[in-house]
Amino acid sequence: MRLGSGGPARAAVPLLVGLAAVGVGYGLSVGLPSYIVYLGTSAIVAAIAILGLGVVTGSAGMIALCQLTFAAVGAWVVSGLNLINAPGGFVGWLVAGGLAAGAVGVVVGLPALRLRGVNLAVVTLGLAAAADLALVQTQFPGSTSGTFVTRPDAFSDDRGYFFLAVLVLVVCAVLVYFLQLGRWGSGWRSVAFSERATASVGASVSVSKLTAFAVSATLGGVSGGLVAGQVGLVFAASFTPIQSLALYVLAIMSGAHLIDMAVLGGILWVVVPELLKRWGIPQDWGFVVFGVLGVQALTSGSNLGTALRELWWRRSRGTASMTLQGAAPELAAAPVAPRASGGRPVLTVSGLSVTFGEVKALRGVDLEVAEHAVVGLIGPNGAGKSTMVDAISGFLPQAEGTITLDGQSLAGHSPARRARRGLRRTFQQNRVPPSLTVEAYLRFVARRRLSPTEIADVLDFFGCPPAHTRLATVEAGTRRLVEVVGQLLSRPRVLLLDEPAAGLSHEEHVAFGERLRQVPDRFGVSVLLIEHDLDLVRSVCDTITVLDFGEVLASGPQQEVLANPAVLKAYMGETEML
Ligand code: ADP
Ligand code: MG
């Protein structure tokens, strides 16, 4: 687990909060009226299940409507182990129930590797319905014989059991907190925002999705196991599909990837039906209330937790933008240092062709990027530049031609595999997940151990906001620079930059160019730069390739190419060159 700057101090905070929560929980367990204590246990059990939904839905962005099916697995295992009086005692059974549910979660997650959105929702809801039918038929172990689940001795009365539930919740919450901070957590948020961007940093989309399902289902299982201990005799009525749906709604409207919001969701789960009961309204109307709140949350595209936090961040810190000005003094106004242009080729592309239906986006394109060179790729809109980057980075399996990295063919390599071999890229569209901090994002993209000073240095070099800044508060143009920084920190062999300076002012463009010129020597990387600003191209690129209608119009040293009449005519318009 890497916690980055101030690691130990930052790690202490959630542990202290957890300890405080245990203290408060103990106080409540002895101080509250016994009826409220019983309801409180239900709220905690629900909070654990919602915490799990926060991972799969809130963080990883997948719709899973079978959380209580996982809970039923946990309850089934606990009551089964209780029936045979298995060793380990209640807490051991609870862990076993969680793990069993986690394993089921991985199986349920497999369709999620192919399905998205509504289709995944239908599959998971279908599963919940099927499991419900099966459970009603088969019954839970011990329910027909009337064998109550034995609670641990120290927590055998309702007050004690409430406190046990608090302890379990605190353990789960702290674990989830650290998982969210770590590589898995960044992976979850990255797949939620863009699967392509996730693959492009060499991370496995499948692993991210399956770990989210596994963690979520494990929490569901633990929650169900606690239900078994709470009620003693378990029945299918505690785990119906409609309850799974309502729980999902609570999770999205509260923003359950945030731990305090999951707890709030658990409280609402109990308070709403209880209030309805007191007002003499049938409790089933609770589902209607949750439904209305859920529709509201979905249509507004926001949730309570995120809205509250964004308000707080903006108030306290404002919007972060860059401070990219001027040039590093030693290089200011220096001409492009003519690098050994006969350097060994690192990336070679030959005969690259891509068709989209009728559109021939690329036709037999050749390109070479030499060691430590910055090669410009220019051409009018629609010329095929981004298609070229997509093809080289492995996102267009239909591409024809050969691509080699360090002399080895990349044929058949997935985007993630190419990224792991040192071929990295940025995207023309924003693919930086806003829910991460700059630091968490950089660590996720770099996929290697980074010291806080190393991070701070590179951020400073590109004039990016400090590591603790939330990407949600960073301006769009600056986010693209953060993306470049992350890719550079991965120490790639070749970096393909698709209009990295779009959205910057002309002065910032020039300042960015000054940095870019130092990139090959500073980071030991070769760069392919797609860029519209010719001043930037002139000041940075040794060689230039011009694309037009998917074909190479000219290629070679920049002076030659920029003076080529065909290039002037087709691309820039002659006046711009004067
Ligand atoms: P550039 O980046 O140079 O502006 P692109 O590579 O984005 O150009 O696009 C090249 C051509 O390929 C354009 O005609 C575009 O419409 C087409 N194209 C790009 N991507 C797709 C796609 N996924 N499906 C169909 N056509 C596409
Ligand atoms: Mg493009």
Side-chain angles (χ1 to χ4, degrees):
M1 183 83 44
R2 294 174 210 164
L3 299 172
S5 57
R10 251 168 67 183
V13 174
L15 296 177
L16 288 176
V17 172
L19 271 181
V22 169
V24 171
Y26 184 75
L28 293 176
S29 76
V30 293
L32 287 176
S34 49
Y35 180 61
I36 304 289
V37 165
Y38 190 83
L39 286 183
T41 307
S42 302
I44 291 170
V45 164
I48 295 172
I50 293 175
L51 197 61
L53 280 172
V55 169
V56 75
T57 294
S59 295
M62 293 178 290
I63 305 182
L65 301 180
C66 56
Q67 186 66 346
L68 289 181
T69 305
F70 300 132
V73 172
W76 209 93
V77 169
V78 167
S79 33
L81 292 176
N82 174 71
L83 191 63
I84 60 169
N85 204 10
F90 181 79
V91 174
W93 308 337
L94 195 60
V95 172
L99 294 178
V104 176
V106 171
V107 175
V108 175
L110 288 175
L113 300 182
R114 299 198 168 273
L115 302 177
R116 286 186 190 84
V118 173
N119 292 332
L120 183 58
V122 169
V123 166
T124 51
L125 190 60
L127 177 92
D132 186 48
L133 280 177
L135 286 171
V136 169
Q137 287 298 318
T138 58
Q139 300 286 351
F140 281 83
S143 62
T144 38
S145 59
T147 315
F148 274 68
V149 173
T150 323
R151 298 173 181 175
D153 290 340
F155 306 98
S156 56
D157 66 352
D158 279 352
R159 288 181 185 281
Y161 195 74
F162 170 84
F163 184 54
L164 175 67
V166 169
L167 291 178
V168 175
L169 171 64
V170 168
V171 170
C172 292
V174 170
L175 280 178
V176 168
Y177 179 86
F178 283 116
L179 286 176
Q180 295 271 23
L181 271 193
R183 181 179 294 292
W184 280 9
S186 301
W188 300 336
R189 277 176 273 197
S190 183
V191 277
F193 193 67
S194 165
E195 291 186 16
R196 298 185 105 203
T198 308
S200 78
V201 304
S204 161
V205 171
S206 310
V207 167
S208 286
K209 288 184 168 185
L210 290 180
T211 51
F213 258 99
V215 170
S216 169
T218 302
L219 291 166
V222 168
S223 149
L226 278 177
V227 170
Q230 183 190 13
V231 300
L233 286 183
V234 192
F235 293 98
S238 304
F239 309 103
T240 59
I242 185 90
Q243 285 170 303
S244 276
L245 262 175
L247 210 58
Y248 170 81
V249 166
L250 263 182
I252 50 163
M253 63 167 251
S254 59
H257 57 293
L258 305 164
I259 288 162
D260 48 339
M261 289 296 143
V263 175
L264 177 71
I267 294 172
L268 286 177
W269 175 255
V270 173
V271 164
V272 171
E274 185 62 21
L275 284 180
L276 293 176
K277 192 169 107 185
R278 297 211 172 172
W279 296 333
I281 303 169
Q283 279 175 305
D284 281 351
W285 281 92
F287 294 128
V288 177
V289 174
F290 293 145
V292 171
L293 292 174
V295 169
Q296 202 280 330
L298 283 174
T299 47
S300 71
S302 179
N303 59 60
L304 202 58
T306 310
L308 288 176
R309 274 163 169 77
E310 269 178 17
L311 207 64
W312 166 250
W313 291 326
R314 278 180 213 283
R315 270 239 177 110
S316 57
R317 305 221 175 86
T319 309
S321 67
M322 82 193 92
T323 50
L324 187 59
Q325 290 160 349
E330 70 272 22
L331 276 171
V336 181
R339 277 176 282 259
S341 50
R344 207 159 58 83
V346 178
L347 177 74
T348 53
V349 174
S350 56
L352 187 65
S353 298
V354 173
T355 43
F356 297 109
E358 298 291 295
V359 182
K360 289 206 159 94
L362 291 177
R363 285 180 272 196
V365 174
D366 299 332
L367 181 98
E368 194 172 283
V369 180
E371 180 112 52
H372 292 192
V374 182
V375 175
L377 181 62
I378 63 176
N381 271 332
K385 305 181 296 294
S386 295
T387 303
M388 183 101 181
V389 171
D390 284 345
I392 296 173
S393 54
F395 287 101
L396 297 172
Q398 78 268 35
E400 290 164 30
T402 53
I403 302 166
T404 63
L405 182 68
D406 283 322
Q408 293 186 329
S409 168
L410 295 177
H413 286 27
S414 69
R417 192 156 163 215
R418 292 178 199 218
R420 288 196 285 261
R421 285 199 46 192
L423 179 62
R424 291 293 189 106
R425 65 164 299 175
T426 64
F427 289 89
Q428 191 173 356
Q429 302 81 13
N430 174 26
R431 295 286 165 99
V432 179
S435 52
L436 294 174
T437 61
V438 169
E439 178 175 350
Y441 174 73
L442 294 181
R443 288 181 186 283
F444 177 67
V445 174
R447 300 191 77 70
R448 66 183 185 88
R449 210 166 264 285
L450 298 172
S451 76
T453 9
E454 189 176 8
I455 292 178
D457 272 356
V458 187
L459 285 174
D460 193 45
F461 180 68
F462 281 98
C464 291
H468 62 76
T469 316
R470 302 233 140 230
L471 284 163
T473 66
V474 174
E475 283 176 358
T478 313
R479 262 188 227 176
R480 311 172 66 85
L481 292 190
V482 175
E483 188 183 7
V484 174
V485 168
Q487 301 292 355
L488 283 174
L489 281 171
S490 79
R491 293 266 159 82
R493 291 286 290 149
V494 181
L495 180 54
L496 317 174
L497 297 174
D498 197 348
E499 303 196 23
L504 304 187
S505 71
H506 184 71
E507 290 70 34
E508 288 163 345
H509 256 86
V510 175
F512 175 66
E514 299 287 352
R515 270 57 169 189
L516 207 51
R517 272 163 57 188
Q518 301 179 40
V519 156
D521 291 335
R522 217 182 143 122
F523 298 92
V525 58
S526 314
V527 177
L528 180 71
L529 172 69
I530 297 179
E531 177 54 53
H532 278 303
D533 186 318
L534 283 184
D535 285 339
L536 178 54
V537 173
R538 253 191 225 109
S539 69
V540 179
C541 300
D542 316 284
T543 57
I544 295 177
T545 294
V546 185
L547 280 185
D548 196 21
F549 293 110
E551 283 178 316
V552 175
L553 192 63
S555 183
Q558 64 147 296
Q559 292 84 351
E560 273 174 36
V561 169
L562 293 179
N564 182 326
V567 173
L568 298 184
K569 190 153 174 274
Y571 175 38
M572 297 100 181
E574 287 162 52
T575 47
E576 209 197 317
M577 293 304 295
L578 297 173

